[in-house]
Amino acid sequence: MARGTLRIYLGAAPGVGKTVAMLSEAHRRRDRGTDVVIGLVETHGRSFTAQLLEGLERIPTREIEYRGATFRELDVDAVIARRPRVVLIDELAHTNVPGSRHTKRWEDIEDVLDAGIDVISTVNIQHLESLNDVTEAITGVRQRETVPDDVVRAADQIELVDMSPEALRRRMAHGNIYAAEKVDAALSNYFRVGNLSALRELALVWLADRVDEALERYRHDQGISETWPARERVVVALTGGPESDALLRRGARIASAGAGGELVAVYVARSDGLVGASLEQLAEQRRLTAELGGTFHTVTGDDVAEAVLEFARGVNASQIVLGVSRRGRLQSLLSRGVGESVIAESGDIDVHIVSHGYRRRGLDQVLPDWTVGRRRTISAWVISALGLPLLTWALASTREHHDLPLEMLLYLALTVATALVGGIWPALFSAIVGSLLLNYYFAPPLHTFTIDNPGNALAVLVFVLVAASVASVVHISALRASKALAAQQESRILAQLAHSLLGTPEQLPTLLEQARDTFSMRTAAVVRRASVRDPWEVLAATEGFDVALVEGAEVRSRVNDTTFLVMTGRVPPASQGRLVSAFASHAAAILTREELVEEARAAGALAKDNRTRTALLAAVSHDLRTPLAGIKAAVSSLRQTDVTWSAEDEAELLESIEASADRLNALIGNLLDMSRLQSGTVAPHLQPLHLDEVVARTVAALPDGQRVRTWIPHELPPALADAGLLDRVLANVLENALRHSPGRQEVVVNASRIGGHLQLRVVDRGSGVPDSAKEGIFAPFQRFGDVPRGSGVGLGLAVARGLAEAMNGSLTAEDTPGGGLTIVVDLPVAGGQLAGPTPPGQAPEVAPSGGAVGREAS
């Protein structure tokens, strides 16, 4: 059985008309004779949408009971049993009610598609899983219902339902989306013009990327290699040299000149991996590409022009940007450059050749300076200078035992030996001088530079060419062997570096230690300064490093604009330049990671504060309004002139006003206390306090204090605390205990001494708190159990713990034997080690009752 097809109407926001478009498509198909049914469509109370349901067959939904309410969900079995040609199923990202066949509606749709039934559905861009965090950053609302991107991407058709933000807001204002009482709030929050514009752009870009993927898939399936410039995609070919920055910026300007332009940078590395640009420069160019909004790619190929063209055709590029060749005039005469080759083979891709300040300077600044070493070069010159006359003397002394061909082979052998030891230049010298010696001493007529036999003249010429060719091949082979060995060593060192960095939390010191060992240096450090006028700041260093060594350091490699990797000890050979750059790049990555970690930590703190503020606003929106509403209602009743209140009624209303005002005062006090605790502005004035006096004052001020029974031994020593803060702690704990004690049961307060601490225990006989929730009751804005809204914002215990800790005490929760909860207030005994600013050996300063956050006793 063939699988059904999925068509999705994608919208940027609610109300753009996805469901209307889906129903309109259903009517068009029905009029053409297609069997179309409605599996489930959400009208959201919109009359125009409801009208479009008329004339379309509806499959009854499945009713599910959940938490005392009845919900309607898609009946998958009924749809499959009906077997229509097309079924409409709204809201692809919807989460089904527990008890449904699947958790998500898109899973129900998968079953319908597997049954061979075509499905038309809808989804908003904010419900895509990959864009959930982006849309939350835009709108401030996190979507709880999401659908995997792969599900939407797999749709056979995706159609965008678009509407300008202004038109959508007009629809909202006319009441065509939400009910009238929700319009103002929606227009001022989620449906702001900026939010809608950003969501619209997000939907357009996401769909454009999907269209681009479909186009690439079609070109691949059809075997189309020609470029289809559906959008301006500019490929910038980089050499890794210093001119690459100019090329990238020019490519970015070209890409931005057209709508939807895309910048793509490509660097071609040799397939043997022996020659390449500086890793430091490549890292910098990768960073610049990202800043310009492009993507950086590395491809492998020995023919640079062919690799660039193959890559450009692979990404469907419309333009290629190249720099003017850096090769010298002689090199340009000998072979065609990359630019000329790309232009000749580009076909319908436009090629831009960009001038820069490094043109015609040769490639020495791009390619590393590979040599065989000074010692080997000197040895080769010595072999050539001594070997040529010795060989000539030996051959001249034994002239009768050999002829010219053998003599030529011996001189050729000496040239090859010279090439093996010292490279091309000593070998070329040996070949030229050897040919002159052959001509002078062994080619008739002897002791002249003329040759009477044309065959001998040709033989000497061939000798020179063969000697030069063999020397060149030997030289190149020796260089490649050196490069391969250096690349192997470099890879091994970098692999060890990466392995060691992954296994340690102190990455920068580990990097410096390994750099010092790798290059046999005395010290290594990472230093930073903002400008040349500022002193150096040492971020990390090995043992023995001093900041005075920076200016005279043998190695100073740039990590970023203001930071350098410096090493002292010796000047490393030029062949290790790439490795030094690699260590600098690792240092840059470590510093960037540390900066990101710090930013994430700061962002986490800001997010936590934001969540606290959000919870605060959510809490106070109701809890502070409730006592205000009670006060207003009681005052309005008392002010009525057409009603005569009895003395008892007036007293009851006044009592209600007083109780509401007390509750409002307590709520505001807790909010202010929590604000001060979070901002760190609570400054306790510690002094010796007798607990029986503090507890008596606090209980007397409680509205329901007669339910509190205290037992405080008189022989207890005083506690070191702040009178006002301790009063606030006890008040909040006692109010919490009274609120959770059933009926009129008493709350017991007792005290005892344990070592150098005093413990106040507030014992209630309520329902108690499980062990897993004991810490949670001290979190801000938390209510445990079935406490109704309006009975506080959930700050009482959080404020109490914060104030107790500010006095060097603690607040914990324990089970009450026989049932209930006991809150333990632990305080230090006065006369021991005094905390805070009081110097040891002096009596603590006695502050007036009230402290930093006081509570007035009634």
Side-chain angles (χ1 to χ4, degrees):
M1 179 186 299
R3 178 180 165 89
T5 61
L6 175 61
R7 177 171 183 169
I8 295 177
Y9 286 94
L10 174 69
V16 295
K18 304 180 302 299
T19 305
V20 170
M22 179 178 67
L23 291 171
S24 300
E25 175 65 19
H27 281 283
R28 285 192 294 272
R29 296 199 183 194
R30 185 205 59 183
D31 294 342
R32 294 197 299 265
T34 304
D35 183 15
V36 181
V37 300
I38 296 176
L40 191 146
V41 170
E42 301 286 355
T43 64
H44 299 288
R46 300 163 191 166
S47 57
F48 182 76
T49 306
Q51 291 174 7
L52 289 175
L53 297 176
E54 298 178 1
L56 295 173
E57 178 186 347
R58 302 187 211 178
I59 295 179
T61 55
R62 182 184 176 194
E63 293 187 352
I64 300 177
E65 296 286 338
Y66 181 68
R67 291 187 176 178
T70 302
F71 298 89
R72 297 187 306 112
E73 295 291 357
L74 175 70
D75 194 334
V76 180
D77 296 327
V79 172
I80 296 176
R82 169 64 174 77
R83 299 199 62 80
R85 184 71 187 88
V86 180
V87 60
L88 310 184
I89 304 176
D90 208 2
E91 297 187 358
L92 183 67
H94 171 76
T95 301
N96 294 329
V97 174
S100 302
R101 180 170 181 169
H102 293 296
T103 303
K104 306 289 289 188
R105 185 167 292 168
W106 64 264
E107 296 175 308
D108 295 337
I109 291 176
E110 287 294 317
D111 287 351
V112 176
L113 292 171
D114 290 339
I117 302 171
D118 295 344
V119 177
I120 303 178
S121 187
T122 64
V123 71
N124 281 330
I125 192 68
Q126 67 265 26
H127 293 296
L128 295 181
E129 182 64 47
S130 66
L131 301 178
N132 198 2
D133 55 342
V134 179
T135 56
E136 181 184 8
I138 294 171
T139 64
V141 178
R142 185 166 189 84
Q143 300 295 332
R144 299 185 180 275
E145 295 187 329
T146 59
V147 58
D149 287 46
D150 291 342
V151 174
V152 183
R153 284 198 186 99
D156 299 274
Q157 298 181 60
I158 303 176
E159 184 170 334
L160 180 67
V161 181
D162 191 29
M163 179 176 289
S164 69
E166 293 77 13
L168 185 57
R169 283 172 60 85
R170 284 196 298 271
R171 290 195 63 192
M172 173 68 71
H174 294 157
N176 295 330
I177 301 178
Y178 290 159
E181 62 271 13
K182 298 181 180 180
V183 169
D184 290 339
L187 289 175
S188 59
N189 290 283
Y190 192 90
F191 283 81
R192 295 196 300 270
V193 173
N195 287 359
L196 297 177
S197 298
L199 291 173
R200 187 188 190 198
E201 180 180 5
L202 202 60
L204 291 170
V205 170
W206 189 89
L207 188 59
D209 288 340
R210 303 292 79 73
V211 172
D212 201 48
E213 288 177 3
L215 177 61
E216 289 301 311
R217 200 162 46 244
Y218 176 80
R219 292 176 66 241
H220 180 269
D221 294 342
Q222 300 299 321
I224 300 172
S225 58
E226 294 81 8
T227 300
W228 285 9
R231 71 162 75 176
E232 289 294 336
R233 186 173 284 113
V234 181
V235 170
V236 181
L238 304 177
T239 64
E243 79 281 1
S244 298
D245 292 358
L247 301 185
L248 283 170
R249 292 187 173 91
R250 178 62 63 86
R253 289 196 294 271
I254 295 173
S256 62
E262 183 179 347
L263 175 67
V264 182
V266 59
Y267 168 72
V268 180
R270 287 179 58 93
S271 58
D272 54 20
L274 301 182
V275 178
S278 165
L279 297 179
E280 184 179 359
Q281 288 179 320
L282 286 178
E284 181 65 22
Q285 288 156 21
R286 184 185 296 272
R287 182 193 62 78
L288 179 59
T289 303
E291 289 181 356
L292 294 173
T295 57
F296 189 96
H297 303 266
T298 300
V299 298
T300 303
D302 292 326
D303 189 328
V304 177
E306 181 181 348
V308 169
L309 286 170
E310 183 178 353
F311 176 81
R313 294 191 180 101
V315 299
N316 200 24
S318 58
Q319 303 182 63
I320 297 175
V321 175
L322 297 166
V324 174
S325 177
R326 298 185 59 184
R327 304 189 311 158
R329 289 182 174 84
L330 180 60
Q331 291 173 303
S332 300
L333 290 175
L334 294 176
S335 63
R336 188 168 65 175
V338 174
E340 296 176 6
S341 301
V342 171
I343 292 173
E345 304 295 334
S346 62
D348 53 358
I349 303 178
D350 296 336
V351 180
H352 301 265
I353 302 296
V354 178
S355 180
H356 52 80
Y358 299 90
R359 60 188 180 278
R360 302 295 182 190
R361 293 191 180 182
L363 299 176
D364 56 309
Q365 293 178 331
V366 176
L367 303 180
D369 183 21
W370 292 97
T371 63
V372 295
R374 179 177 180 143
R375 180 177 299 178
R376 289 181 57 182
T377 302
I378 294 175
S379 300
W381 282 110
V382 171
I383 291 173
S384 179
L386 297 179
L388 287 171
L390 289 175
L391 179 61
T392 303
W393 173 80
L395 291 176
S397 301
T398 59
R399 189 186 306 273
E400 64 277 5
H401 298 295
H402 47 75
D403 54 10
L404 185 62
L406 178 60
E407 294 159 356
M408 293 178 61
L409 289 175
L410 292 174
Y411 276 102
L412 181 61
L414 180 61
T415 301
V416 171
T418 305
L420 287 172
V421 174
I424 185 67
W425 299 114
L428 285 177
F429 171 80
S430 179
I432 296 172
V433 174
S435 67
L436 294 176
L437 293 174
L438 274 171
N439 185 359
Y440 188 82
Y441 286 103
F442 303 106
L446 301 179
H447 307 300
T448 66
F449 287 105
T450 61
I451 301 175
D452 58 359
N453 187 348
N456 289 339
L458 180 61
V460 172
L461 179 62
V462 170
F463 164 77
V464 173
L465 294 177
V466 170
S469 300
V470 170
S472 176
V473 170
V474 171
H475 174 78
I476 292 174
S477 299
L479 287 183
R480 287 187 176 272
S482 300
K483 294 176 185 178
L485 180 60
Q488 181 182 9
Q489 293 174 345
E490 182 177 317
S491 300
R492 177 178 53 81
I493 291 172
L494 292 178
Q496 292 175 350
L497 175 61
H499 184 270
S500 60
L501 291 180
L502 288 174
T504 177
E506 298 293 332
Q507 294 189 341
L508 204 53
T510 302
L511 174 79
L512 294 176
E513 290 290 345
Q514 189 155 352
R516 183 179 65 176
D517 296 341
T518 299
F519 301 107
S520 301
M521 294 291 184
R522 288 195 305 269
T523 61
V526 174
V527 296
R528 172 189 293 165
R529 67 176 177 182
S531 68
V532 294
R533 295 183 298 273
D534 297 322
W536 289 104
E537 174 192 1
V538 180
L539 302 182
T542 59
E543 185 178 356
F545 182 83
D546 187 83
V547 72
L549 300 173
V550 174
E551 298 299 335
E554 284 75 12
V555 174
R556 186 187 297 181
S557 182
R558 183 180 295 275
V559 174
N560 55 40
D561 292 339
T562 60
T563 309
F564 293 85
L565 169 65
V566 296
M567 291 184 282
T568 62
R570 68 181 185 91
V571 178
S575 59
Q576 292 185 333
R578 281 169 49 86
L579 201 54
V580 173
S581 298
F583 273 85
S585 298
H586 274 78
I590 292 172
L591 291 175
T592 301
R593 178 183 176 275
E594 290 178 352
E595 291 174 359
L596 292 175
V597 169
E598 289 299 322
E599 291 176 1
R601 188 177 292 113
L606 291 175
K608 181 179 179 181
D609 292 343
N610 186 59
R611 288 193 298 269
T612 301
R613 285 191 292 270
T614 302
L616 171 62
L617 292 174
V620 301
S621 63
H622 181 277
D623 295 302
L624 291 184
R625 194 177 300 166
T626 300
L628 287 174
I631 293 172
K632 180 175 176 59
V635 171
S636 299
S637 299
L638 290 173
R639 293 188 60 188
Q640 290 181 3
T641 58
D642 55 344
V643 177
T644 301
W645 301 98
S646 65
E648 292 79 3
D649 292 335
E650 285 188 8
E652 185 177 349
L653 290 172
L654 291 173
E655 184 180 355
S656 174
I657 294 173
E658 184 178 13
S660 297
D662 288 340
R663 189 165 64 180
L664 184 61
N665 180 60
L667 289 172
I668 294 175
N670 278 334
L671 291 172
L672 291 175
D673 289 348
M674 180 55 64
S675 175
R676 291 168 181 166
L677 286 169
Q678 291 183 339
S679 61
T681 58
V682 175
H685 298 279
L686 303 180
Q687 58 182 324
L689 297 175
H690 292 283
L691 295 182
D692 54 350
E693 297 176 1
V694 178
V695 172
R697 258 197 328 268
T698 304
V699 172
L702 291 175
D704 206 8
Q706 66 276 9
R707 292 174 54 200
V708 179
R709 183 164 54 88
T710 62
W711 186 81
I712 311 293
H714 293 290
E715 64 273 12
L716 282 180
L720 185 63
D722 181 289
L725 297 187
L726 183 55
D727 178 60
R728 171 69 77 183
V729 171
L730 291 175
N732 285 350
V733 172
L734 286 169
E735 287 172 356
N736 181 77
L738 290 169
R739 186 183 306 119
H740 289 85
S741 294
R744 302 293 298 174
Q745 286 195 7
E746 291 183 336
V747 171
V748 178
V749 180
N750 58 57
S752 60
R753 177 174 180 171
I754 300 179
H757 291 263
L758 296 177
Q759 286 191 347
L760 268 173
R761 310 175 74 86
V762 180
V763 182
D764 68 52
R765 293 292 179 179
S767 57
V769 176
D771 291 340
S772 59
K774 281 188 172 61
E775 278 301 309
I777 64 176
F778 296 104
F781 312 110
Q782 299 294 319
R783 298 184 184 88
F784 181 76
D786 298 325
V787 177
R789 293 186 64 85
S791 60
V793 294
L795 280 177
L797 292 181
V799 169
R801 170 174 275 189
L803 297 180
E805 291 175 349
M807 295 184 292
N808 301 319
S810 64
L811 197 69
T812 55
E814 299 176 354
D815 290 330
T816 300
L821 185 71
T822 297
I823 300 295
V824 181
V825 183
D826 189 289
L827 296 170
V829 174
Q833 180 66 35
L834 299 181
T838 305
Q842 294 185 10
E845 179 185 357
V846 179
S849 177
V853 183
R855 171 183 174 89
E856 295 182 0
S858 58

